[in-house]
Amino acid sequence: MLMVVTVASQQKEVIVAASTSWTGAIAKAAGADEVRILAPLELKHPSEYDFRPGDLQRLVNADFLVWAGYEPFIPRLQESAGLPSEQVVKVLTTNTPSNLVKQVTYLGKVFGTEKAAGNWVREFTSAVEIMEKQAQELKLHEKRVVVQMHQEEFIRWLGFDVVGVFSAEELSPARVIEFASLKPDLVIDNYHNPQGMGIAEVAGVPRVEIRNFPEGADVDISKLFKENWIKLAYFWETEE
């Protein structure tokens, strides 16, 4: 007797090992059923993590290993595990809506989870459209900011008037004075590698740290957007 196997019965859970909470959040948004984060969530700079022998076990039965390309431990881990290149997927980690929609859609196709990815894209798009509207109402385009380079694209998306961008390297006293002389209303720093304390102090303005890597076990990119939004946009309401 011929057995008919339905499409549903062929489906299986998609298990993903992810380099950090950032790549893990993108994989989760794309519809991965299980996401195993390799770099510990409590690390302030997760990309500098160096894998441990126990991480090899976390690759067992994983369908894919997702990374961003700047985590030195991933190539070594892939080699140690003998993981085929077709199971290693690279994504671009830039926290702008257009990029995240692109990456989630891409992973959805790779994972075979297009429906779940599409659902997330619709919900996320609706949420960020509200943020964009609120940013216009708060006239963020009139707010002069100096921002750390790894937060620049997110800040520009929100519409802030970016008058200066400082790098992740230690700032010399001369550079601190230079950025302070731009007369920013706010210094926006990177939680994972803060460098703007001196600028804010010399300029006599507040400083806010925002994240790129989601925190917490749920590694939710939408939650990260909301948390950063509260720190930035609603900051102006409390000032009024």
Side-chain angles (χ1 to χ4, degrees):
M1 180 177 178
L2 181 63
M3 179 179 293
V4 178
V5 181
T6 65
V7 173
S9 67
Q10 294 180 37
Q11 294 177 345
K12 73 179 189 67
E13 289 192 343
V14 177
I15 301 174
V16 173
S19 58
T20 66
S21 65
W22 202 349
T23 58
I26 297 174
K28 178 183 175 183
D33 298 287
E34 180 184 344
V35 179
R36 303 168 181 170
I37 309 298
L38 296 173
L41 294 174
E42 63 271 16
L43 289 183
K44 197 164 187 179
H45 201 223
S47 58
E48 294 181 351
Y49 175 67
D50 193 4
F51 84 92
R52 302 168 183 173
D55 291 329
L56 293 171
Q57 185 64 30
R58 305 180 76 180
L59 294 182
V60 174
N61 298 325
D63 300 292
F64 301 98
L65 171 60
V66 179
W67 71 314
Y70 50 72
E71 308 92 319
F73 73 94
I74 290 296
R76 298 196 298 271
L77 178 61
Q78 178 187 356
E79 181 179 3
S80 297
L83 198 66
S85 58
E86 58 268 21
Q87 288 183 252
V88 182
V89 186
K90 186 187 296 186
V91 293
L92 176 62
T93 51
T94 300
N95 279 336
T96 58
S98 59
N99 178 65
L100 291 172
V101 165
K102 181 178 180 180
Q103 302 306 316
V104 168
T105 301
Y106 165 64
L107 286 185
K109 293 178 180 178
V110 173
F111 298 165
T113 55
E114 291 96 330
K115 183 177 180 179
N119 290 339
W120 183 88
V121 165
R122 283 188 290 274
E123 292 179 4
F124 179 69
T125 300
S126 296
V128 297
E129 285 176 350
I130 294 173
M131 292 182 192
E132 288 180 313
K133 182 179 179 181
Q134 292 175 328
Q136 293 172 0
E137 293 172 348
L138 290 173
K139 298 181 179 180
L140 296 190
H141 64 280
E142 298 179 356
K143 312 302 182 183
R144 296 169 59 86
V145 299
V146 171
V147 61
Q148 204 265 3
M149 61 181 293
H150 292 304
Q151 302 294 354
E152 179 185 3
E153 293 190 62
F154 174 70
I155 295 306
R156 288 191 184 278
W157 165 71
L158 279 174
F160 282 99
D161 181 11
V162 178
V163 297
V165 179
F166 57 95
S167 71
E169 299 175 357
E170 185 175 355
L171 296 172
S172 66
R175 290 291 283 165
V176 168
I177 294 173
E178 179 182 339
F179 281 115
S181 68
L182 296 173
K183 298 181 179 180
D185 298 306
L186 179 70
V187 173
I188 301 175
D189 217 340
N190 182 13
Y191 166 84
H192 309 287
N193 188 16
Q195 298 285 338
M197 293 80 78
I199 300 172
E201 182 178 349
V202 173
V205 298
R207 182 182 67 92
V208 177
E209 292 183 4
I210 60 175
R211 304 178 65 100
N212 277 328
F213 296 84
E215 62 178 336
D218 54 355
V219 291
D220 188 328
I221 203 75
S222 296
K223 181 180 177 183
L224 175 72
F225 260 64
K226 182 177 180 180
E227 291 172 346
N228 284 339
W229 170 250
I230 290 172
K231 291 179 180 179
L232 292 167
Y234 286 98
F235 168 83
W236 302 107
E237 288 191 343
T238 60
E239 289 290 296
E240 294 178 357

